[in-house]
Amino acid sequence: MTVHVPEPAPTVVKTTCPYCGVGCGVLATPDGQGGAAIVGDPEHPANFGRLCSKGSALGETLSLDGRLLHPAIDGARASWDDALDTVAGGLARIAAEHGPDSIAFYLSGQLLTEDYYVANKLSKGFIGTPNVDTNSRLCMSSAVAAHRRAFGSDTVPGCYEDLDEADLIVLVGSNTAWCHPILFRRMVDARARRGTKLVVVDPRRTQTGEEADLFLGLQPGTDTALFSGLLVHLADLGALDAGFVEAHTAGFDAALDRARTIAPDVAATARATGLAEADVAAFFALFAGTARTVTAFSQGVNQSAQGTDKANAIINCHLATGRIGKAGAGPFSLTGQPNAMGGREVGGLANMLAAHMHFAPEEVDRVRRFWDAPRIVTGEGLKAVALFEAVRAGRIKALWVMGTNPIVSMPRADIVRAAIAKLDLYVVSEAVADSDTARAAGRTTVLLPALAWGEKDGTVTNSERRISRQRCFLEAPGEARADWAVLSDVGRRLGFGGAFAFEGSAAIFREHAALSAFENGGSRDFDLGGVRDISDRDYAAAPPLQWPMPRARSREGRARLFADGRFYTFDGRARFVAVQAPALATTVTEARPFVLNTGRVRDHWHTMTRTGKSQRLSAHRAVPFVEIHPDDAASLAIANGDLARVSTEAGSAVLEAMVTESVRPGTLFAAFHWSDATASDARVGALVRGVPDPVSGQPELKATPAAIEPVAYRSRGFLLTRDARTLPQGWWWARATIQGGSGLHFATQEGPRAVALMMRGLFQGLDLAEYADHGRGRYRCAAYDGERLVASLALGPSAARPAWEQAKAYFAADTLEPAARRALLSGRAETASAGPTICACHGIGLDVITAAITAGASSVEAVGAACKAGTNCGSCIPEIRKLLPGALARDAA
Ligand SMILES: Nc1nc2c(c(=O)[nH]1)N[C@H]1C(S)=C(S)[C@@H](COP(=O)(O)OP(=O)(O)OC[C@H]3O[C@@H](n4cnc5c(=O)[nH]c(N)nc54)[C@H](O)[C@@H]3O)O[C@H]1N2
Ligand SMILES: Nc1nc2c(c(=O)[nH]1)N[C@H]1C(S)=C(S)[C@@H](COP(=O)(O)OP(=O)(O)OC[C@H]3O[C@@H](n4cnc5c(=O)[nH]c(N)nc54)[C@H](O)[C@@H]3O)O[C@H]1N2
Ligand code: SF4
Ligand SMILES: [Mo]
């Protein structure tokens, strides 16, 4: 008799996506070998089971390749004890010699709340330095400042259900379809269900703009004029909520007077923004006539030298119409990072203290008593741009960077790198070994390996104030440790053992919640009193929770705030803000006639330390690019696909030109994802000027005066290899992960002869199949180890750069049939390309989708049925829709 032993059911762990601020719930099923199957959590209120392309590909990013697994001191592997002694000893010495404020921390909206809380407590309460800032300064500090000016607190008034229940959604400076894809799906669903109108305000016609009912392609930086004009229009039309304005606000008259000086009517608004009068009028009419309006905004608003005013100009219009905190209505700051909000909650920005408290004497005293802090800071510290300037000036001697890659993501990134070299003590807590920031060095450099997603345990807060658990489902690799534990160890070494004796993330969360409720009594919005004594077990099992939840032992949060008209200012009234007129358009010069805009692509996350590991995600945009309008490209003799040098007063980079009408004439757009680890010369952060907003200190990342010129190379090509490679100095290259290995697009002044010599040198001892046509400047080479294809190179004149899709498919297949070997060598592979990838989930290229459309597929659904594109996560649906014949009709309309 055989006994049937049932397989143990795989454990499914509920966790949260580590990418954007939508905060989607994820179900992870570990495979026992370091990987995991990933699906959306149908019960999570952010996504109800859906995931976008990045979330769907999380399983491809879990390998330990490239991970930092051991501490290191000055490049040599070290024990944790030695590393922590070096950090604590260095901090103590520097504080003694130069004062505690010569120590700085640069943190991240990708840390868990528990990590962030301990970092903030250690630095501001115990080491006694106010110089604690975070990459969130580059991300949403203008939204924070605008909220505080208008509401007296950093409160997001609404929730995601408002997007389901709105009749009008205005997206300002937000490429939601690519950057908050699951929220965008909710918006598109609302349109299908209730006819919600979508207005998109962006100088660039993004995929989000393509989906809009009304696209307002305004001149860069002119949003305050648009919303000033709207405020005037609402007032003149009598479309205000006069009762609300009268009872619950202050400053309306001054704000309106100022608005009249900026944009007195529709015609003036059109002039100030570069929009057509009819479009402005249509927008104003829609806004005035639609009570259920949500205005959602992100980096086109925040990352601006006038970002705080832009956000307040938007909020003014919502206050004026009383559209705040009501179902389907409100201004809505979409947060970028998974825990941008958590960072604000703990007070991780230089102008905050803790738990939404700032530096009023009674607040400082309250936090001091709660922490029993020996060296509480009493005022604001340096904000990111000023902080790195202080490093450069030698005033900051020790810097601890945690969970961010500033050598890529800061404006003037070359200066940031040079500054770091001056530090006495440079500490980097990182999950990967080869980020540009981890490769930099100070006089003493300590690298501390951090747990990554899937290994760490704690909480994150999404854009709608919802706290979700990130849970671990993988073993800690190597010697990597939780950031909070490392910070606590340093706290103990500095002699503050009692304050850092946390046993786990639940204990930290309890303390954080208790501080939020401490002497609160309704005076502060951020209140987690309901979970201040949550047990370890309840914390482990906690479902997503929304704050505020002030009532003791009640987990019921509030979805919306301010509908009652009570704000957190001293008199309880919201404030209108008299904003400044836009001043940006005048900054270009003859030498630098373009405005360089920067941002993101659909399938990459920031500096690519994670999405760069996924071959699916690396297929959508495989080279660093710059978008340029056809008229500008023609006048500069830049053809689509050419390489071009973009330069600004701060630096330069060489990017592939994408000639497209999606950018306005006179503007350029580049994504900032590529680093020195992934490309030879494509760090866009090095170009960005980064003038800080005077109120928030958030640097302008969307408008830097720039020049662009073509760069001539003799040859272009690609090289596919099993391990990641770099190419000789002077070559241009960009790397992308491909199935079964790594791919490089490159350009060089060499021709076939030199490249053949290089290949023979690199793959000595293997079978090389080569083809050369010196007259035409072509060369192809495949290297085989027995049956296995281990490298494939194609080289051509730079005007006809070879496409790599088919070669990639052969490379993925590993061993090749003779016919395939011949195709690879003959170059037929290069012409039989499927085109650039559109659908990352199924790996479907442009040409396949166009073929399906030519064969009769006339809707997104029909394309999906024909070739599967768009049928998994749906992130590519806007791109597919744009290819349909109907889209042409819409453009013409
Ligand atoms: N795929 C992907 N998604 C992400 C991220 C990622 O790296 N990749 N990062 C996450 C993070 S941290 C963030 S902060 C968010 C950012 O999300 P978004 O803010 O949507 O992204 P960006 O591309 O930075 O910028 C948004 C838009 O602002 C526009 N813009 C530029 N200047 C102006 C202007 O003067 N006025 C207006 N109205 N618009 C302007 C740009 O053209 C751009 O389309 O995305 C999050 N989601
Ligand atoms: N030009 C330009 N620059 C920009 C922007 C732009 O639009 N244009 N956007 C800005 C914005 S909004 C943002 S948010 C920033 C983002 O910029 P960064 O924060 O610099 O980018 P990331 O690549 O997300 O860096 C996160 C790092 O933390 C590491 N990491 C991941 N998990 C952990 C962990 O648990 N612990 C530790 N210690 N490390 C971890 C990752 O390996 C990675 O190296 O870029 C800003 N810079
Ligand atoms: S929208 Fe995509 S990236 Fe953002 S949290 Fe959801 S799955 Fe992750
Ligand atoms: Mo961000």
mmCIF file of all heavy atoms in Angstrom, residues 9 63 72 128 135 165 310 391 393-394 414 498 518 527 544 578 587 641 643 650 660 700 705 720 760 762 797 829 850:
data_model
loop_
_atom_site.group_PDB
_atom_site.id
_atom_site.type_symbol
_atom_site.label_atom_id
_atom_site.label_comp_id
_atom_site.label_asym_id
_atom_site.label_seq_id
_atom_site.Cartn_x
_atom_site.Cartn_y
_atom_site.Cartn_z
ATOM 1 N N ALA A 9 1.632 22.739 1.574
ATOM 2 C CA ALA A 9 1.145 23.860 0.764
ATOM 3 C C ALA A 9 2.187 24.978 0.798
ATOM 4 O O ALA A 9 2.743 25.264 1.850
ATOM 5 C CB ALA A 9 -0.166 24.378 1.334
ATOM 6 N N SER A 63 17.388 37.896 -7.492
ATOM 7 C CA SER A 63 18.649 37.150 -7.447
ATOM 8 C C SER A 63 19.677 37.920 -6.619
ATOM 9 O O SER A 63 19.557 39.116 -6.398
ATOM 10 C CB SER A 63 19.196 36.962 -8.854
ATOM 11 O OG SER A 63 19.878 38.139 -9.227
ATOM 12 N N ALA A 72 32.256 46.397 4.404
ATOM 13 C CA ALA A 72 33.607 46.652 3.889
ATOM 14 C C ALA A 72 34.086 47.988 4.433
ATOM 15 O O ALA A 72 33.297 48.923 4.603
ATOM 16 C CB ALA A 72 33.597 46.686 2.361
ATOM 17 N N GLY A 128 22.534 64.572 17.872
ATOM 18 C CA GLY A 128 22.296 66.011 17.990
ATOM 19 C C GLY A 128 22.630 66.798 16.737
ATOM 20 O O GLY A 128 23.048 67.947 16.799
ATOM 21 N N ASN A 135 16.086 61.810 0.066
ATOM 22 C CA ASN A 135 15.773 61.966 -1.350
ATOM 23 C C ASN A 135 14.345 62.474 -1.550
ATOM 24 O O ASN A 135 13.998 62.923 -2.635
ATOM 25 C CB ASN A 135 16.023 60.669 -2.122
ATOM 26 C CG ASN A 135 15.166 59.514 -1.639
ATOM 27 O OD1 ASN A 135 14.333 59.680 -0.746
ATOM 28 N ND2 ASN A 135 15.360 58.354 -2.225
ATOM 29 N N GLU A 165 -14.641 57.900 -7.711
ATOM 30 C CA GLU A 165 -15.923 58.598 -7.579
ATOM 31 C C GLU A 165 -15.922 59.995 -8.171
ATOM 32 O O GLU A 165 -16.892 60.741 -8.023
ATOM 33 C CB GLU A 165 -16.301 58.665 -6.090
ATOM 34 C CG GLU A 165 -16.557 57.279 -5.526
ATOM 35 C CD GLU A 165 -16.839 57.277 -4.040
ATOM 36 O OE1 GLU A 165 -17.170 58.346 -3.490
ATOM 37 O OE2 GLU A 165 -16.714 56.209 -3.433
ATOM 38 N N LYS A 310 3.176 76.374 -7.228
ATOM 39 C CA LYS A 310 2.343 75.605 -8.167
ATOM 40 C C LYS A 310 1.303 74.799 -7.397
ATOM 41 O O LYS A 310 0.115 74.789 -7.738
ATOM 42 C CB LYS A 310 3.207 74.641 -8.980
ATOM 43 C CG LYS A 310 3.997 75.268 -10.124
ATOM 44 C CD LYS A 310 4.644 74.134 -10.931
ATOM 45 C CE LYS A 310 5.476 74.634 -12.095
ATOM 46 N NZ LYS A 310 6.086 73.521 -12.861
ATOM 47 N N VAL A 391 28.942 69.627 2.298
ATOM 48 C CA VAL A 391 29.946 68.554 2.199
ATOM 49 C C VAL A 391 31.109 69.057 1.350
ATOM 50 O O VAL A 391 32.280 68.924 1.697
ATOM 51 C CB VAL A 391 29.334 67.283 1.578
ATOM 52 C CG1 VAL A 391 30.421 66.233 1.317
ATOM 53 C CG2 VAL A 391 28.236 66.701 2.475
ATOM 54 N N ALA A 393 31.979 72.091 0.835
ATOM 55 C CA ALA A 393 32.711 73.174 1.494
ATOM 56 C C ALA A 393 33.498 72.665 2.698
ATOM 57 O O ALA A 393 34.181 73.446 3.356
ATOM 58 C CB ALA A 393 31.734 74.253 1.926
ATOM 59 N N GLY A 394 33.353 71.388 3.017
ATOM 60 C CA GLY A 394 34.116 70.829 4.137
ATOM 61 C C GLY A 394 33.468 71.065 5.497
ATOM 62 O O GLY A 394 34.048 70.732 6.526
ATOM 63 N N ASP A 414 27.759 65.515 -10.687
ATOM 64 C CA ASP A 414 29.227 65.441 -10.708
ATOM 65 C C ASP A 414 29.817 66.155 -9.499
ATOM 66 O O ASP A 414 30.812 65.711 -8.912
ATOM 67 C CB ASP A 414 29.791 66.076 -11.993
ATOM 68 C CG ASP A 414 29.556 65.179 -13.207
ATOM 69 O OD1 ASP A 414 29.294 63.976 -13.013
ATOM 70 O OD2 ASP A 414 29.609 65.699 -14.341
ATOM 71 N N GLY A 498 19.914 52.346 26.107
ATOM 72 C CA GLY A 498 18.532 52.252 26.568
ATOM 73 C C GLY A 498 17.533 52.730 25.531
ATOM 74 O O GLY A 498 16.444 52.165 25.391
ATOM 75 N N PHE A 518 1.302 61.162 21.525
ATOM 76 C CA PHE A 518 1.781 61.773 22.766
ATOM 77 C C PHE A 518 1.344 63.238 22.839
ATOM 78 O O PHE A 518 1.676 64.042 21.972
ATOM 79 C CB PHE A 518 3.309 61.645 22.786
ATOM 80 C CG PHE A 518 3.968 62.136 24.054
ATOM 81 C CD1 PHE A 518 3.636 61.596 25.292
ATOM 82 C CD2 PHE A 518 4.944 63.126 24.001
ATOM 83 C CE1 PHE A 518 4.278 62.033 26.449
ATOM 84 C CE2 PHE A 518 5.577 63.561 25.154
ATOM 85 C CZ PHE A 518 5.230 63.018 26.384
ATOM 86 N N ASP A 527 -1.853 60.818 13.825
ATOM 87 C CA ASP A 527 -2.127 60.214 15.126
ATOM 88 C C ASP A 527 -2.418 58.730 14.924
ATOM 89 O O ASP A 527 -3.411 58.359 14.299
ATOM 90 C CB ASP A 527 -3.323 60.930 15.765
ATOM 91 C CG ASP A 527 -3.491 60.542 17.236
ATOM 92 O OD1 ASP A 527 -3.060 59.428 17.609
ATOM 93 O OD2 ASP A 527 -4.065 61.347 17.997
ATOM 94 N N PRO A 544 -3.814 46.376 6.006
ATOM 95 C CA PRO A 544 -3.528 47.786 5.743
ATOM 96 C C PRO A 544 -4.396 48.686 6.631
ATOM 97 O O PRO A 544 -5.586 48.425 6.814
ATOM 98 C CB PRO A 544 -3.909 47.947 4.271
ATOM 99 C CG PRO A 544 -3.840 46.571 3.699
ATOM 100 C CD PRO A 544 -4.211 45.640 4.799
ATOM 101 N N ALA A 578 -1.162 83.709 -1.900
ATOM 102 C CA ALA A 578 -0.936 84.594 -3.050
ATOM 103 C C ALA A 578 0.370 84.151 -3.708
ATOM 104 O O ALA A 578 1.442 84.326 -3.146
ATOM 105 C CB ALA A 578 -0.839 86.043 -2.580
ATOM 106 N N THR A 587 14.698 81.633 -18.905
ATOM 107 C CA THR A 587 16.055 81.245 -18.502
ATOM 108 C C THR A 587 16.929 80.687 -19.629
ATOM 109 O O THR A 587 18.117 80.544 -19.429
ATOM 110 C CB THR A 587 16.031 80.219 -17.357
ATOM 111 O OG1 THR A 587 15.222 79.137 -17.787
ATOM 112 C CG2 THR A 587 15.496 80.816 -16.084
ATOM 113 N N GLY A 641 17.486 58.072 -33.639
ATOM 114 C CA GLY A 641 18.455 57.006 -33.395
ATOM 115 C C GLY A 641 19.899 57.473 -33.364
ATOM 116 O O GLY A 641 20.780 56.739 -32.925
ATOM 117 N N LEU A 643 23.202 59.464 -32.035
ATOM 118 C CA LEU A 643 23.653 59.845 -30.705
ATOM 119 C C LEU A 643 23.873 61.348 -30.667
ATOM 120 O O LEU A 643 24.314 61.942 -31.655
ATOM 121 C CB LEU A 643 24.934 59.104 -30.351
ATOM 122 C CG LEU A 643 24.699 57.604 -30.164
ATOM 123 C CD1 LEU A 643 26.014 56.862 -29.998
ATOM 124 C CD2 LEU A 643 23.782 57.325 -28.985
ATOM 125 N N ALA A 650 26.093 72.524 -16.064
ATOM 126 C CA ALA A 650 26.556 71.607 -15.018
ATOM 127 C C ALA A 650 27.315 70.406 -15.563
ATOM 128 O O ALA A 650 28.178 69.857 -14.883
ATOM 129 C CB ALA A 650 25.374 71.132 -14.182
ATOM 130 N N THR A 660 10.448 62.977 -31.773
ATOM 131 C CA THR A 660 9.030 62.741 -31.495
ATOM 132 C C THR A 660 8.284 64.047 -31.286
ATOM 133 O O THR A 660 8.832 65.000 -30.723
ATOM 134 C CB THR A 660 8.838 61.853 -30.237
ATOM 135 O OG1 THR A 660 7.484 61.972 -29.788
ATOM 136 C CG2 THR A 660 9.770 62.245 -29.103
ATOM 137 N N GLU A 700 14.686 72.276 -8.776
ATOM 138 C CA GLU A 700 14.069 72.208 -10.111
ATOM 139 C C GLU A 700 14.768 71.106 -10.906
ATOM 140 O O GLU A 700 15.973 71.196 -11.168
ATOM 141 C CB GLU A 700 14.274 73.556 -10.804
ATOM 142 C CG GLU A 700 13.950 73.620 -12.275
ATOM 143 C CD GLU A 700 12.467 73.617 -12.549
ATOM 144 O OE1 GLU A 700 11.805 74.654 -12.348
ATOM 145 O OE2 GLU A 700 11.993 72.556 -12.997
ATOM 146 N N PRO A 705 18.409 74.926 -18.774
ATOM 147 C CA PRO A 705 18.821 75.361 -20.105
ATOM 148 C C PRO A 705 19.891 74.408 -20.651
ATOM 149 O O PRO A 705 20.834 74.063 -19.932
ATOM 150 C CB PRO A 705 19.409 76.752 -19.862
ATOM 151 C CG PRO A 705 18.834 77.193 -18.551
ATOM 152 C CD PRO A 705 18.625 75.961 -17.753
ATOM 153 N N LEU A 720 26.082 40.825 -27.264
ATOM 154 C CA LEU A 720 25.362 40.047 -26.250
ATOM 155 C C LEU A 720 26.341 39.058 -25.641
ATOM 156 O O LEU A 720 27.052 38.356 -26.371
ATOM 157 C CB LEU A 720 24.205 39.270 -26.891
ATOM 158 C CG LEU A 720 23.304 40.050 -27.846
ATOM 159 C CD1 LEU A 720 22.171 39.145 -28.355
ATOM 160 C CD2 LEU A 720 22.723 41.276 -27.160
ATOM 161 N N ARG A 760 38.195 38.602 -31.062
ATOM 162 C CA ARG A 760 39.083 37.427 -31.020
ATOM 163 C C ARG A 760 39.836 37.391 -29.698
ATOM 164 O O ARG A 760 40.060 36.326 -29.121
ATOM 165 C CB ARG A 760 40.043 37.442 -32.205
ATOM 166 C CG ARG A 760 39.307 37.139 -33.507
ATOM 167 C CD ARG A 760 40.183 37.360 -34.728
ATOM 168 N NE ARG A 760 39.345 37.625 -35.896
ATOM 169 C CZ ARG A 760 39.733 38.300 -36.962
ATOM 170 N NH1 ARG A 760 40.954 38.822 -37.033
ATOM 171 N NH2 ARG A 760 38.910 38.474 -37.969
ATOM 172 N N LEU A 762 38.753 38.762 -26.815
ATOM 173 C CA LEU A 762 37.830 38.519 -25.696
ATOM 174 C C LEU A 762 37.414 37.057 -25.610
ATOM 175 O O LEU A 762 37.211 36.526 -24.522
ATOM 176 C CB LEU A 762 36.558 39.370 -25.870
ATOM 177 C CG LEU A 762 36.654 40.855 -25.556
ATOM 178 C CD1 LEU A 762 35.329 41.557 -25.881
ATOM 179 C CD2 LEU A 762 36.968 41.052 -24.068
ATOM 180 N N PRO A 797 27.693 50.557 -39.973
ATOM 181 C CA PRO A 797 27.933 51.999 -39.979
ATOM 182 C C PRO A 797 26.891 52.671 -39.086
ATOM 183 O O PRO A 797 25.784 52.176 -38.952
ATOM 184 C CB PRO A 797 27.749 52.392 -41.444
ATOM 185 C CG PRO A 797 27.114 51.243 -42.112
ATOM 186 C CD PRO A 797 27.291 50.025 -41.275
ATOM 187 N N ALA A 829 18.919 38.207 -39.140
ATOM 188 C CA ALA A 829 18.358 38.390 -37.805
ATOM 189 C C ALA A 829 18.120 39.855 -37.505
ATOM 190 O O ALA A 829 17.170 40.219 -36.830
ATOM 191 C CB ALA A 829 19.311 37.808 -36.778
ATOM 192 N N THR A 850 1.772 46.038 -34.598
ATOM 193 C CA THR A 850 1.334 46.721 -35.822
ATOM 194 C C THR A 850 0.819 45.703 -36.837
ATOM 195 O O THR A 850 -0.178 45.956 -37.532
ATOM 196 C CB THR A 850 2.487 47.524 -36.468
ATOM 197 O OG1 THR A 850 3.547 47.625 -35.551
ATOM 198 C CG2 THR A 850 2.053 48.905 -36.851
#
